[in-house]
Amino acid sequence: MSNELIINGTQNGCRIALLKDKTLVEFHQDEGGSKFSVGDIYLGSVKKVVQGLNAAFIDVGYDKDAFLHYLDLGPQFSSLQKFTKLVRNRKINGIKLEKFKLESDIDKHGKISQQLAKGHVIPVQIVKEPISTKGPRLSCELSLAGRYLVLVPFSNAVSVSKKITSSEERKRLLRLMQSIKPDNFGVIIRTVAENKDVAELDRDLRNLVKTWEDGIKRLVTANPRDKVIGEISKTSALLRDLLNESFDSIQVDDKRIYDEVKSYIRTIAPEKEKIVRLYTGKAKIFEAFGIERQIKTAFGQTVSLRGGGYLIIEHTEALHVIDVNSGNKSNREESQETTALSVNLEAAKEIARQLRLRDMGGIIVIDFIDMKNPENKKLIYKTMKEEMADDKAKFTVLPLSKFGLMQITRERVRPQMNITTKENCPTCNGTGKITASILVSDQIEKYIEHLITKQNERYLLLALHPYLYAYFTHGLISIRMRWYFKYKRWLRMEKDSSLAITEFKFLNKEGEEIQLA
């Protein structure tokens, strides 16, 4: 199985696609400089303590105050408070935790008013990004994630991922980590640390400790609402969590991002540096790898299955509902039960992919096609669990009910990925009445004349739908060739199927869109 990461640089950040055997399984949009990402640590200010909820609302700079429940303070909250106060008042020598005396754990059944009051300033970590009308969800149990380890300040516990099943390997990792970790830092050993040598683990630990110490330096002079420790970019976070031996290609079409990715991989996995390549093809990178088409077909309300069935995906405020339909598949199988099993198995695999692709969270209810045989129902349940095994989010899958419904809960820490796949007519904006489509040629030529003769643009790139591209470039004496004879300037063109059929845009040499009046 091949794993490829395709990264497309945009004006505001980048788009990231994870392909398994050329099939899109994860899609992320990383807005440059986006705030309130999971893992970010801010200096928050307590705005309100609500005893009825046993929670506090914290100002971290978002439009709405963030939510912090008492149970998310963490056992070491007293130590965090004391350390923060000493650091900000410059009453502690240096920034290291080794000589700091930890306080006793707080009462897990206590009240928020015993720990916080309006105006208190505390470091808080984003554990759930702002979603819909809700602000971020916070925790004071701070942690810093690396490739092999998770560093937990104000703790001395060392734990190993449950997915590492070998007792000998668990003991080796525990002994190793207890011998190299600094005092007053707890460590969680991640699954990917299995069979790694001490040098790799030590390098990861040192990087995390340095990140913590750099953050503490900023904490000394930080103002409320300031970011103290920022999570790495989404691209680097994906590489940190996903990069393994099965990765065989990382393609990037932006030189700056390429250098960033190469530098990060050199830090975490030097042996993998050679798989990073700078894409220089003529076609846009998402077009060349067939990703643009997959995005358009995967994010609609109706998702087709290869065998002839299809899914209907509906989203509500409370939950997501997925309906499985057989379509024209029913004429091919020998019995209704065989048809139902065949479509349901294919649907289970596609649904597991859709949950990751759209990052759907909360409660998901799936209405599978009714089956009578209990063994077939068990098979669907088993298949769904196996297909979701690679999902990084926490999830729970329940067996099919007697009504043929399956319930899944999946951790939601980010807003769901929604991409509009239905295109409004760019000319009529959905009214149903348009001017003659042939006029788009005149409109484009008008802009070309203005940009060349009035603005004296030396470099022009016209991005447009493949249909328009074919129209302008077809034939020996094409429309583009006529423009060349007329304006004495060769117009570069590229296909972009993400645009509507009569949409177009002009780009300059830096790839920035030229604003048209």
Side-chain angles (χ1 to χ4, degrees), residues 324-342:
V324 181
N325 297 276
S326 61
N328 58 14
K329 178 84 176 177
S330 53
N331 297 325
R332 299 186 188 176
E333 305 291 354
E334 56 192 32
S335 70
Q336 183 179 346
E337 184 77 8
T338 312
T339 299
L341 178 61
S342 174

Side-chain angles (χ1 to χ4, degrees), residues 197-259:
D197 60 40
V198 64
E200 290 182 276
L201 299 179
D202 184 56
R203 183 171 64 233
D204 199 31
L205 180 64
R206 287 173 184 274
N207 288 339
L208 292 174
V209 171
K210 185 177 186 309
T211 300
W212 167 259
E213 291 177 351
D214 289 345
I216 296 306
K217 288 177 185 175
R218 287 189 286 272
L219 182 63
V220 176
T221 56
N223 296 315
R225 309 170 91 181
D226 284 354
K227 187 188 291 188
V228 178
I229 298 176
E231 177 62 293
I232 56 178
S233 70
K234 196 167 285 187
T235 311
S236 299
L238 273 174
L239 291 171
R240 179 192 67 198
D241 296 339
L242 298 174
L243 191 67
N244 54 37
E245 288 70 23
S246 66
F247 254 87
D248 47 30
S249 176
I250 299 172
Q251 299 268 1
V252 190
D253 68 351
D254 183 279
K255 185 66 169 64
R256 181 187 58 80
I257 300 173
Y258 167 78
D259 291 337

Side-chain angles (χ1 to χ4, degrees), residues 90-355:
R90 295 179 171 85
K91 291 183 179 179
I92 189 169
N93 292 325
I95 53 176
K96 298 186 181 297
L97 271 182
E98 284 88 329
K99 295 180 181 179
F100 176 74
K101 185 179 178 183
L102 297 180
E103 297 291 300
S104 302
D105 290 356
I106 64 171
D107 180 7
K108 62 181 177 181
H109 301 297
K111 299 296 181 185
I112 193 85
S113 55
Q114 296 170 338
Q115 303 294 336
L116 292 176
K118 184 176 180 180
H120 276 186
V121 173
I122 49 167
V124 288
Q125 188 164 31
I126 309 288
V127 293
K128 187 181 285 188
E129 292 178 12
I131 297 173
S132 186
T133 58
K134 299 174 184 176
R137 178 80 182 252
L138 305 176
S139 171
C140 287
E141 205 163 2
L142 308 182
S143 63
L144 303 177
R147 190 179 181 206
Y148 302 116
L149 310 170
V150 177
L151 188 71
V152 185
F154 309 106
S155 170
N156 281 299
V158 178
S159 58
V160 185
S161 166
K162 292 178 182 177
K163 292 182 181 178
I164 299 178
T165 53
S166 166
S167 59
E168 288 185 9
E169 179 62 9
R170 292 177 68 87
K171 288 176 184 175
R172 181 187 80 89
L173 290 170
L174 279 170
R175 282 197 306 270
L176 186 62
M177 199 47 57
Q178 284 168 343
S179 66
I180 63 173
K181 79 170 189 67
D183 288 340
N184 295 335
F185 282 107
V187 173
I188 301 168
I189 302 169
R190 305 180 73 174
T191 310
V192 288
E194 190 170 12
N195 299 320
K196 298 300 178 186
D197 60 40
V198 64
E200 290 182 276
L201 299 179
D202 184 56
R203 183 171 64 233
D204 199 31
L205 180 64
R206 287 173 184 274
N207 288 339
L208 292 174
V209 171
K210 185 177 186 309
T211 300
W212 167 259
E213 291 177 351
D214 289 345
I216 296 306
K217 288 177 185 175
R218 287 189 286 272
L219 182 63
V220 176
T221 56
N223 296 315
R225 309 170 91 181
D226 284 354
K227 187 188 291 188
V228 178
I229 298 176
E231 177 62 293
I232 56 178
S233 70
K234 196 167 285 187
T235 311
S236 299
L238 273 174
L239 291 171
R240 179 192 67 198
D241 296 339
L242 298 174
L243 191 67
N244 54 37
E245 288 70 23
S246 66
F247 254 87
D248 47 30
S249 176
I250 299 172
Q251 299 268 1
V252 190
D253 68 351
D254 183 279
K255 185 66 169 64
R256 181 187 58 80
I257 300 173
Y258 167 78
D259 291 337
E260 178 192 328
V261 169
K262 194 130 181 162
S263 172
Y264 183 69
I265 288 189
R266 195 180 299 124
T267 305
I268 66 167
E271 73 282 0
K272 284 284 183 183
E273 189 181 347
K274 61 182 179 295
I275 70 172
V276 185
R277 302 183 185 94
L278 181 63
Y279 176 80
T280 55
K282 290 184 179 179
K284 295 180 75 172
I285 191 168
F286 271 27
E287 296 280 358
F289 286 88
I291 298 168
E292 207 70 70
R293 180 181 178 84
Q294 289 193 59
I295 290 171
K296 289 291 186 183
T297 56
F299 281 89
Q301 183 184 28
T302 303
V303 178
S304 299
L305 304 175
R306 289 181 182 176
Y310 61 95
L311 309 175
I312 303 290
I313 303 177
E314 297 275 3
H315 308 289
T316 70
E317 185 68 26
L319 48 79
H320 308 283
V321 181
I322 303 176
D323 185 30
V324 181
N325 297 276
S326 61
N328 58 14
K329 178 84 176 177
S330 53
N331 297 325
R332 299 186 188 176
E333 305 291 354
E334 56 192 32
S335 70
Q336 183 179 346
E337 184 77 8
T338 312
T339 299
L341 178 61
S342 174
V343 175
N344 285 343
L345 282 172
E346 192 179 0
K349 295 175 182 178
E350 179 61 27
I351 288 167
R353 171 178 171 251
Q354 287 287 331
L355 297 185

Side-chain angles (χ1 to χ4, degrees), residues 482-498:
R482 290 175 196 163
W483 287 339
Y484 174 71
F485 292 140
K486 183 175 181 180
Y487 299 109
K488 304 297 185 292
R489 191 82 52 82
W490 183 252
L491 179 67
R492 296 166 181 82
M493 290 185 182
E494 71 174 12
K495 303 174 192 174
D496 188 348
S497 59
S498 66

Side-chain angles (χ1 to χ4, degrees), residues 9-20:
T10 63
Q11 282 185 314
N12 300 323
C14 65
R15 300 190 296 168
I16 309 157
L18 173 63
L19 304 182
K20 282 196 175 181

